[in-house]
Amino acid sequence: MSGKGFFAVSVPVLHRILEQGGDAGDLMAYLVLAKHTTGWGKWKYQTSTAGAKAISKKTGLTYRQAQVRLDLLQKKGFIQPGGAEGTPSHVTSETVHQREATKVRWLLGKLEDDRAYLAHSLIEGIGQGRQHPPLERLWDEVKLGPCTSVKEARADSLLLLIHCYAEQSIRDYGGINPNCLRGNWQEADTPYGLEDMNWLMMELEQPEESHQSASLDFVGKVLPHVPEGDRPNRFWNAFSNLRLLGFMYEVLQVWQDNPLENPRAELFYPLYVLDYHARDSDPYCQRDIHGFLEQCGYLDGHDLYGPEGIIEEAQGGRKTFRILRTEGGRECVIGTYRLRFRPSTEDTGRGMKEEGYRAESWKQTLERAKQERAS
C-alpha cells in the first residue's frame, strides 16, 4: 500500500524489538504492518491497515502466533491501536473507480534517520511466489548452522537482509556496498596483450578460499546482540541462508578503479550475472566479450570457454571468466550482491537504467573495435 511499491522501516527499531524479548516473528509482524502504511502525509509510514490476518498470510505464523506478536509489540510500545485521540482512524486511498477509506488498525512510531526502504514484493512475493511469500520461506526453510536454535537463525537472517537493503545503492555500486559485503575474484593468469590493440585479456577466478568478504563494522552492525567471538560464523550462516533462499545474487562488476581503495572509483560495465533468472533481465557483457575475441581471431581452436564465455568445473562449480581491460589501467572486478526483491525507488529505477547504459556502451566499444580490426 505504501506508494510506488516500497515502504520504509527504522533499522534501530528492529534491533530494539529483539533487545526487548522479541524474535524473528515479531520482526516479521512489524514488517507486514509497515508494508500496509501510506508513504505520504503527516503520518507517513505510520498508519497501518494490517492486522493479525495479514501477518499470518504473509509469514510462517499462525493467526494465534501473529496475535501474540502484536501483543508484544504493543506492550513494548512499538505500536499502538489506531484511532486513539489525536491520531487518524482511517486512511484514504485511490482506486480505479473511487476513493476508499480504510480503518487504521495500528500506529507505528515515527521513522528514525537510520532507515531501510523495502520492496512490497518482499512481503507479497512475485508471480507463483505469492503462494509461498518470501518471509514465509525464510521462516520455514532457514538452516540452523552454528546457531543454537532455529529462532536464532531466523533472526540473524532477517537482520542481515534488512541491513543489506539499507546498504544497497544500485546507482553507486550496482547492488550492496562492497565495502560492507562482496564476492572476491582474482586474476588467474598472466595478462595476454591483444595484437594491434591497447587492451589486455585477463582470466578471472574465485580464490580457493575466502569467496566472500564482509567488513567487521558491518558484521557488528548486523549482529550486535551476538557475542563477538560467535559473530563471524553466525553472520556467514545468515548470508548462506539468504543466498540459498534466493534473496540475493552476485553480479560481477568491472570498476574503473578499486572502490575499496578509491571512493571516487566508478563502475565500468557489468561482466556477468551469477543467477539464471536474473540474466533474463539484468544486463551483462560476458557473452559479447567472448564473441568479440572469437570473431577477431584471438582464440584458438582448443579454447575451453563455452558460448557464454565461461569455464565451469564439473566438481564444485568453480567458474573462470575473461575480462578486457586497458594496458596500464586500474580496472578491477568485484562481486556485488544484488537483492532480488528491489524497492521501486528512484535509486533502483535510475540505477538499473544506468547499468543498462554501461553495458550497451561497452558492447558498442567492442563492435567498433571489431569493425576497425576488419577494415
Side-chain angles (χ1 to χ4, degrees), residues 352-366:
M352 291 308 296
K353 282 184 179 179
E354 290 168 3
E355 185 87 335
Y357 295 153
R358 285 189 292 270
E360 188 59 32
S361 176
W362 183 240
K363 292 175 185 179
Q364 291 175 4
T365 298
L366 295 175

Side-chain angles (χ1 to χ4, degrees), residues 91-299:
V91 292
T92 303
S93 60
E94 298 280 353
T95 68
V96 175
H97 303 291
Q98 61 185 350
R99 290 168 61 87
E100 293 185 347
T102 308
K103 181 180 178 181
V104 174
R105 296 180 179 275
W106 296 100
L107 189 71
L108 281 63
K110 191 173 181 180
L111 276 181
E112 301 176 17
D113 290 338
D114 185 2
R115 63 188 66 168
Y117 291 92
L118 313 182
H120 279 183
S121 56
L122 176 65
I123 307 299
E124 299 289 341
I126 299 174
Q128 293 184 349
R130 289 175 176 268
Q131 299 174 17
H132 195 21
L135 294 185
E136 183 179 301
R137 288 193 294 111
L138 191 152
W139 181 265
D140 290 342
E141 300 175 27
V142 294
K143 306 300 183 185
L144 184 65
C147 299
T148 59
S149 66
V150 175
K151 179 181 290 190
E152 286 183 352
R154 288 169 178 159
D156 291 355
S157 300
L158 195 53
L159 285 176
L160 175 57
L161 179 63
I162 299 303
H163 278 273
C164 285
Y165 273 101
E167 295 294 345
Q168 177 163 275
S169 173
I170 303 295
R171 295 193 70 195
D172 286 331
Y173 312 113
I176 298 164
N177 183 349
N179 289 284
C180 296
L181 177 66
R182 62 188 176 276
N184 298 321
W185 295 84
Q186 65 186 12
E187 296 176 1
D189 208 345
T190 304
Y192 172 73
L194 301 188
E195 184 181 350
D196 302 326
M197 300 191 67
N198 188 33
W199 286 351
L200 297 175
M201 180 175 68
M202 313 285 300
E203 286 195 329
L204 190 75
E205 66 180 11
Q206 276 191 315
E208 291 286 348
E209 300 179 354
S210 302
H211 291 181
Q212 298 88 23
S213 294
S215 72
L216 291 177
D217 286 346
F218 185 59
V219 173
K221 284 176 63 176
V222 173
L223 302 176
H225 59 288
V226 175
E228 190 171 347
D230 296 336
R231 283 178 193 163
N233 288 337
R234 293 266 295 266
F235 178 91
W236 290 117
N237 183 62
F239 173 82
S240 176
N241 277 320
L242 295 182
R243 289 295 306 278
L244 290 173
L245 290 170
F247 282 88
M248 65 171 74
Y249 55 92
E250 188 175 3
V251 181
L252 300 188
Q253 293 280 7
V254 181
W255 290 75
Q256 294 179 344
D257 198 354
N258 190 339
L260 307 178
E261 300 172 357
N262 180 6
R264 302 173 70 89
E266 295 184 2
L267 291 164
F268 192 1
Y269 62 86
L271 181 67
Y272 193 68
V273 179
L274 288 159
D275 183 85
Y276 175 81
H277 299 289
R279 281 198 295 275
D280 288 339
S281 58
D282 294 9
Y284 65 96
C285 299
Q286 182 68 78
R287 184 186 299 166
D288 301 89
I289 292 173
H290 180 74
F292 168 80
L293 293 170
E294 189 173 50
Q295 293 166 33
C296 290
Y298 290 117
L299 306 180

